[in-house]
Amino acid sequence: MDRWIARRHGADALGDGSPESGEVRVMARTGAYLYAAGATLALLWLALPHPAASQDLVLVGVLALAYAGAALLWYVGHRLRRGWFDLVVAAGTLMISVAVHFSGHTTPFVLFFLWSNVYAWYFLPRGRAALQLALIGVAYGVVLAVGDHVTPPEGNRGGLIPFLGPGAARWLITIGTLLVAGMLVTALHERVERLIRRLTEERNFVSSVVETASALVMVFGLDGRLLAFNPACETTTGYGAEEIHESHISEFLLPPEEIERARREWEHVLTGGRASFESHLVTRDGDRRLIAWSVVLGRDAVGDPDHVVATGTDITERKRGERELGRRAQRQAAVAELGRKGLEGLPLPQLTAQSAALVAKHLDLDHCQVWEQTPYNGDLLLTAAVGFGAGEVGRLTIAAEEDTQPGFTINAEGPVVVDDFAEERRFSPPVPLIDSGVVSGLSVAIPGRRRPFGAIGGQTTSRRSFTHDEALFLQSVAHVLAAAIERWRSEEAIRHNALHDPLTSLPNRALFLDRLAHVLTKRDPKASQAAVMFLDVDNFKLINDSLGHEAGDRLLKAIGPRLGEALRPTDSVARFGGDEFVVLCEEVGDGRDALIVAERLQKALSAPFVLDGEEHFLTASIGVALATGRYEDPDPLMRDADAAMYRAKERGRAQCELFDDAMRSQVRGRLRMENAMRGVIDRNELRTYYQPIVSLADGSITGLEALMRWHHEGLGPVSPIEFIPIAEDTGLIVPLGAWILEDACKQIVLWEQELGVVPPPISVNLSPRQVAHAELVPMVADVLERTGVRADRLALEITESVLISEAESPWNTLQALKKLGVTLMLDDFGTGYSSLSYLKRFPVDVLKIDRTFVDGLGSEAEDSAIVKAVVGMAKALDLGVVAEGVETEQQLQCLRELGCERGQGFLFGRPRPAADTTPLLGPGDAWMPQLPGRSAQV
Ligand code: C2E
Ligand code: CA
Ligand code: CA
């Protein structure tokens, strides 16, 4: 085990290090010992009493030779070649033989043969050892033969084999003993060699494993000093084994803070025999490597603790990988969690704040900011921040220019990485941020469908190189934010659209009513009151018709801001559609104050509106209702303001009206009537009256207008002028209209049967609401079919307002009615805004000139002019003309002069029940009013 240290330290005890040279050195040394020992024993022999026959001088010479040989062997023996040792042994044998011979007696020098023999058998190959033994045998034999000092004086017995004289037995036994001793030594030697070889092999195996192992192997003495250090240790720590050999591990390999723990583990090993733990190693470069150690106590041959072996694996990368994997998993989980919150509709501001915190945490940033591009001007607004800017969230905006980091980021292709802000040239980071000591940064765009929604990024105060994985993480957070922003914005748009008028962006009816309801429930009755103002632009249809809808829309858009300027910030303006605006003043003193506000609104509108360089003047009618204690819901308050507005309209343009008690009772009356009207058909309270339409030329009845009459139990007879508008408002006009149409058609059939002649065509009034109703045409067709009345016996009267409605459908409806074959009359002509173009477009057959023009005939020159113009126009367009409300002969006269062909009015007959009309229709005595100047006309 210690070979790899020994080699490393150049401390090989055997010179050149080969086993051969080691062996020779041992042989030389041993030889030297034997020579010297032999000589010394011989010297001792000489000094002590010894046989007189001894020739001491010769012996001293041999002895000196032996000492010289010993010295030679000691100093230069290791340089001898192996073969020379045969000579060393042989020389020994000869010197022993000489010593034996001259000792004068059988001496213990014979024992020296045993030494050289054993030496030969130990160190020389078996054959050469045998040769040396033979040499000993010959030399000893010669000695015995030359002078047998051993034979006792009384002589020898002959023995069985008389061989070599009396000393032969001694010689043979000596040689035999030497042979056996030699064999034993050889066997022993071989055994020892085998053992050594095996140990060497084992040792080589262990050391090659240790040398090539990637694991760190360190061997310590029990005092903690480093004894061995394998190549893996060298590569890992950067230290060479030599430089730290014998140093204490705590001196430099362990980080200071881990020394105490290492000491505990060390004691643990010493007492328990082994330990496993992880600790850091500080390398020569100052890096730290994390090592998993397995430490065991090593024992010597006797089993006593001797050293400590520590085997370690460098797990720095693995740990780092594990940590990175763990971190990545955590980040993925965090992004998933954020995405889930986004989907579950966590409000965007919270989600954004959480994103910033999450990014700062998972990327270990000191600062993190989220910038969102505002849809209005494209500036970047700080919507969340950790660290820098945290106090300015929602307030700090910067231009989305390329010279700012977020601005640069939203225009960049991918993640923007800043290694060192001090060296950044692509954009200039804000000074306060630099002052806060940031060094590195990372930012990405929050992607949008058309352009990025913004940017998210952060900074660190220490130098950092961000990994690809970290950039990916930031991008996934940006994607979650992008989805959330997109959804939030579309939801915001939906919310806004649901509560705002698309044209003017003012609050719509729903939002206004919501606010009003809120004000009503919150209101303090003792404090000032709220007021609702219903504002309707006067004659807005005229503007639409003359300038076109597009110009009309632009005017409507301009009205909102004008009104807003005339109000206080707490007041609000809404648009209810068309040209209707509503204002809520949350604090007004009394009705008079409210009217002052209303007049201010009038004034705000009075300044000209400029469209395409042309000035236009607008006025509005305003109805005001005060939210007095009696109102709990918005609806009645709105209705009363509306009623006041209608009253204002009745008074002419640009009027204001405050809803008052008189109006209240009127409204109440209307409400009562509304209730009374429900179920009129079922209660059979309706009747149809007929008024003749006559030819002005001869007074003959050319038609009958069917007019509705209602007699209510409690209210008595109610004029259609009162109940028809209510029926219109409530929608009841649709069933009522269907009822009178059917009633009139049935009457035609009855008259046909009763009189035997075809009665004049009957005209039935259609309200605008009926014309707009989808079922009108099928209903008319159905009535005609069921009653069997021919379509040309029926005329339908519509008003101008039907024609100027914006929708396309009245045109289709009138075409369809025309197709059925019925006659279409335009009622109350002249009161609306019909222009010639309308008349051309719509399939109208007859114009009914409104009563108001007929009224002034003969007295008002203007009226005559109008009637004249209408008659002329009708003629030009090939339309029939009926003058309504003819009451006097003078009017009749005028109409005739103006060329009007037909008339209707009290002069010819009031509306009357069917039964009273029948006599007028008889074939024989057809009703002919006595018309003045009739003969002249005929
Ligand atoms: P209108 O369609 O213009 O009907 C003519 C109105 O003038 C009738 O009033 C009629 O009685 C009245 N009148 C006729 N000749 C004279 C006259 O010489 N002098 C004066 N001052 N008035 C005259 P009435 O029946 O009260 O109906 C009023 C309005 O109610 C009608 O005006 C029409 O718009 C509506 N109306 C009546 N019945 C129906 C109906 O069945 N359906 C619909 N939609 N509206 C109806
Ligand atoms: Ca009519
Ligand atoms: Ca009329």
Side-chain angles (χ1 to χ4, degrees):
M1 177 212 315
D2 53 3
R3 194 180 148 238
W4 39 274
I5 313 172
R7 183 174 68 71
R8 243 153 249 293
H9 290 265
D12 197 331
L14 302 180
D16 72 358
S18 75
E20 186 66 14
S21 72
E23 183 83 351
V24 168
R25 184 179 282 264
V26 174
M27 283 165 79
R29 289 280 157 100
T30 316
Y33 290 140
L34 292 185
Y35 268 43
T40 308
L41 285 178
L43 199 60
L44 191 67
W45 187 86
L46 278 177
L48 293 174
H50 56 283
S54 158
Q55 294 183 29
D56 288 0
L57 239 112
V58 179
L59 284 177
V60 167
V62 171
L63 196 145
L65 259 179
Y67 273 125
L72 259 172
L73 279 173
W74 185 267
Y75 291 108
V76 293
H78 61 275
R79 293 205 200 118
L80 294 179
R81 276 204 263 118
R82 261 173 167 273
W84 286 89
F85 285 87
D86 291 295
L87 283 179
V88 170
V89 179
T93 301
L94 292 177
M95 282 191 282
I96 296 164
S97 304
V98 171
V100 169
H101 178 74
F102 289 101
S103 63
H105 198 286
T106 304
T107 66
F109 293 155
V110 176
L111 276 179
F112 291 163
F113 284 129
L114 186 61
W115 295 11
S116 64
N117 175 63
V118 166
Y119 182 90
W121 285 101
Y122 188 86
F123 288 111
L124 305 185
R126 219 179 275 201
R128 300 225 303 274
L131 220 62
Q132 293 292 343
L133 179 60
L135 181 64
I136 292 170
V138 171
Y140 190 33
V142 170
V143 170
L144 287 179
V146 173
D148 184 6
H149 306 288
V150 289
T151 309
E154 57 274 16
N156 257 355
R157 186 170 297 143
L160 285 178
I161 312 156
F163 177 63
L164 283 181
R170 202 169 20 153
W171 175 78
L172 277 174
I173 289 169
T174 304
I175 296 305
T177 304
L178 289 186
L179 183 65
V180 170
M183 298 297 274
L184 285 176
V185 165
T186 315
L188 196 69
H189 186 214
E190 277 175 2
R191 237 188 116 158
V192 167
E193 286 231 296
R194 265 207 311 278
L195 212 72
I196 289 174
R197 211 179 307 125
R198 225 181 63 213
L199 282 177
T200 312
E201 278 167 7
E202 266 175 27
R203 197 191 62 176
N204 287 352
F205 175 71
V206 169
S207 58
S208 63
V209 166
V210 169
E211 288 216 33
T212 56
S214 62
L216 317 182
V217 181
M218 294 186 188
V219 183
F220 299 94
L222 292 184
D223 57 356
R225 295 203 172 272
L226 188 64
L227 300 180
F229 196 63
N230 76 342
C233 290
E234 292 183 329
T235 348
T236 305
T237 63
Y239 291 108
E242 276 169 57
E243 36 179 338
I244 58 170
H245 182 65
E246 283 286 307
S247 51
H248 200 277
I249 184 162
S250 61
E251 283 169 30
F252 49 94
L253 282 180
L254 282 177
E257 70 274 13
E258 290 186 24
I259 288 180
E260 183 47 34
R261 195 165 65 91
R263 202 183 52 75
R264 280 201 306 275
E265 297 289 354
W266 180 265
E267 271 156 22
H268 189 63
V269 172
L270 293 188
T271 53
R274 57 174 62 241
S276 299
F277 57 93
E278 289 172 9
S279 74
H280 285 94
L281 273 189
V282 183
T283 71
R284 165 170 251 146
D285 301 338
D287 274 359
R288 284 176 173 225
R289 313 293 304 177
L290 184 63
I291 312 288
W293 291 109
S294 170
V295 184
V296 289
L297 186 62
R299 295 176 188 275
D300 60 13
V302 203
D304 286 335
D306 181 54
H307 57 271
V308 170
V309 182
T311 315
T313 318
D314 186 346
I315 54 170
T316 316
E317 305 305 330
R318 200 184 76 205
K319 275 277 146 118
R320 192 175 292 162
E322 278 172 13
R323 257 202 316 274
E324 197 47 50
L325 267 183
R327 222 176 269 160
R328 187 185 298 179
Q330 274 176 359
R331 286 183 196 142
Q332 274 167 354
V335 170
E337 168 76 5
L338 196 69
R340 187 183 60 76
K341 284 181 183 166
L343 280 180
E344 281 173 4
L346 182 70
L348 184 62
Q350 269 136 285
L351 192 81
T352 313
Q354 290 191 9
S355 303
L358 187 109
V359 166
K361 180 182 152 200
H362 284 271
L363 290 185
D364 213 4
L365 301 174
D366 298 296
H367 310 282
C368 179
Q369 306 90 27
V370 182
W371 300 89
E372 211 180 294
Q373 210 162 14
T374 56
Y376 315 106
N377 56 12
D379 277 356
L380 288 162
L381 172 70
L382 184 68
T383 52
V386 171
F388 177 74
E392 290 177 282
V393 169
R395 282 183 284 137
L396 184 65
T397 48
I398 57 172
E401 307 287 325
E402 291 253 350
D403 62 348
T404 65
Q405 187 184 2
F408 181 82
T409 306
I410 59 171
N411 293 309
E413 293 278 301
V416 175
V417 178
V418 180
D419 290 327
D420 190 344
F421 275 103
E423 285 157 27
E424 185 52 59
R425 296 285 168 269
R426 294 169 293 181
F427 47 83
S428 41
V431 178
L433 190 62
I434 294 294
D435 288 349
S436 72
V438 300
V439 181
S440 304
L442 173 68
S443 54
V444 300
I446 301 171
R449 216 178 277 264
R450 269 169 297 134
R451 55 171 192 177
F453 287 129
I456 177 169
Q459 303 82 20
T460 57
T461 48
S462 56
R463 199 187 178 88
R464 242 313 255 294
S465 49
F466 290 97
T467 64
H468 178 64
D469 208 60
E470 287 169 329
L472 275 183
F473 165 70
L474 191 58
Q475 275 176 326
S476 6
V477 172
H479 274 107
V480 171
L481 271 180
I485 292 173
E486 185 168 339
R487 204 178 41 251
W488 181 261
R489 287 199 182 163
S490 60
E491 280 170 8
E492 213 169 24
I494 290 169
R495 270 195 298 277
H496 187 272
N497 288 349
L499 296 176
H500 291 82
D501 165 48
L503 177 67
T504 61
S505 284
L506 290 174
N508 66 7
R509 179 189 295 265
L511 180 56
F512 183 88
L513 292 183
D514 190 63
R515 265 188 211 167
L516 181 56
H518 190 64
V519 167
L520 290 181
T521 47
K522 243 187 30 188
R523 160 191 59 169
D524 174 5
K526 281 176 280 193
S528 55
Q529 349 184 30
V532 168
M533 305 187 183
F534 221 108
L535 185 148
D536 191 287
V537 180
D538 296 320
N539 296 337
F540 192 72
K541 279 221 160 63
L542 260 184
I543 292 170
N544 255 349
D545 291 343
S546 52
L547 301 177
H549 286 161
E550 197 263 337
D553 284 353
R554 271 155 66 200
L555 272 182
L556 287 175
K557 273 199 226 177
I559 290 175
R562 287 270 184 102
L563 298 179
E565 279 162 26
L567 292 167
R568 283 167 301 187
T570 47
D571 303 337
S572 46
V573 185
R575 178 175 176 237
F576 271 28
D579 53 359
E580 282 179 2
F581 293 82
V582 187
V583 171
L584 171 63
C585 296
E586 295 205 9
E587 282 170 24
V588 290
D590 54 12
R592 231 167 329 148
D593 284 352
L595 280 178
I596 290 172
V597 175
E599 269 155 25
R600 223 170 42 226
L601 293 176
Q602 299 270 28
K603 209 165 158 225
L605 292 181
S606 65
F609 290 82
V610 181
L611 276 191
D612 300 327
E614 233 182 283
E615 289 190 343
H616 298 274
F617 291 89
L618 289 185
T619 58
S621 305
I622 303 179
V624 183
L626 285 179
T628 51
R630 70 178 91 221
Y631 297 105
E632 279 169 8
D633 299 323
D635 278 351
L637 186 58
M638 296 305 299
R639 197 193 51 217
D640 289 350
D642 192 34
M645 190 273 288
Y646 272 103
R647 175 62 61 86
K649 273 242 147 96
E650 279 166 18
R651 281 176 43 213
R653 295 158 48 115
Q655 297 297 318
C656 302
E657 190 78 47
L658 181 68
F659 188 81
D660 55 16
D661 286 342
M663 249 185 263
R664 179 163 293 117
S665 65
Q666 204 177 13
V667 167
R668 217 173 274 146
R670 188 187 145 114
L671 263 181
R672 211 176 313 137
M673 198 179 296
E674 244 178 69
N675 289 333
M677 277 183 73
R678 291 178 209 288
V680 281
I681 297 175
D682 295 340
R683 292 196 303 270
N684 199 19
E685 288 171 359
L686 295 176
R687 295 288 175 269
T688 308
Y689 275 35
Y690 297 91
Q691 186 180 29
I693 299 172
V694 303
S695 159
L696 295 188
D698 58 8
S700 60
I701 298 179
T702 62
L704 294 165
E705 179 173 3
L707 293 160
M708 200 181 287
R709 292 295 177 264
W710 176 32
H711 189 100
H712 183 258
E713 274 252 329
L715 302 171
V718 186
S719 161
I721 294 169
E722 273 184 78
F723 77 81
I724 290 290
I726 296 173
E728 282 254 350
D729 283 355
T730 57
L732 258 179
I733 194 70
V734 174
L736 293 189
W739 175 84
I740 194 170
L741 182 74
E742 184 159 354
D743 198 51
C745 286
K746 282 179 183 160
Q747 193 57 53
I748 293 175
V749 176
L750 276 178
W751 274 327
E752 259 178 19
Q753 290 168 349
E754 205 174 318
L755 304 169
V757 292
V758 179
I762 294 183
S763 46
V764 176
N765 294 285
L766 284 186
S767 89
R769 186 98 183 228
Q770 279 176 283
V771 178
H773 198 262
E775 291 301 306
L776 175 72
V777 180
M779 187 272 285
V780 174
D782 179 57
V783 168
L784 288 177
E785 202 192 304
R786 275 191 291 113
T787 53
V789 170
R790 270 172 45 194
D792 63 356
R793 309 318 296 159
L794 181 67
L796 295 174
E797 297 190 7
I798 54 164
T799 56
E800 284 173 308
S801 62
V802 167
L803 302 190
I804 61 174
S805 100
E806 293 166 18
E808 192 61 7
S809 59
W811 189 86
N812 290 334
T813 308
L814 298 186
Q815 286 294 343
L817 289 174
K818 200 71 221 138
K819 245 195 178 151
L820 287 178
V822 300
T823 305
L824 290 184
M825 298 187 169
L826 197 54
D827 209 351
D828 305 339
F829 186 75
T831 54
Y833 311 109
S834 298
S835 62
L836 209 58
S837 61
Y838 281 118
L839 295 179
K840 269 193 196 155
R841 262 180 70 203
F842 288 98
V844 177
D845 306 296
V846 178
L847 299 183
K848 292 183 83 172
I849 301 174
D850 192 67
R851 205 172 62 214
T852 48
F853 304 112
V854 176
D855 250 1
L857 280 184
S859 50
E860 308 278 332
E862 201 186 344
D863 286 346
S864 308
I866 290 172
V867 173
K868 189 178 174 190
V870 172
V871 170
M873 184 169 82
K875 284 229 169 87
L877 290 171
D878 203 15
L879 300 174
V881 184
V882 176
E884 290 188 298
V886 185
E887 291 179 355
T888 63
E889 305 241 340
Q890 195 189 3
Q891 288 164 352
L892 173 65
Q893 198 54 47
C894 279
L895 287 168
R896 274 186 181 151
E897 279 164 18
L898 292 171
C900 181
E901 43 191 30
R902 292 195 285 167
Q904 179 183 356
F906 294 165
L907 182 65
F908 310 119
R910 287 183 177 263
R912 58 186 94 183
D916 297 349
T917 309
T918 315
L920 308 178
L921 308 177
D925 45 35
W927 185 84
M928 285 281 185
Q930 294 304 302
L931 295 180
R934 168 186 140 198
S935 48
Q937 287 290 317
V938 175

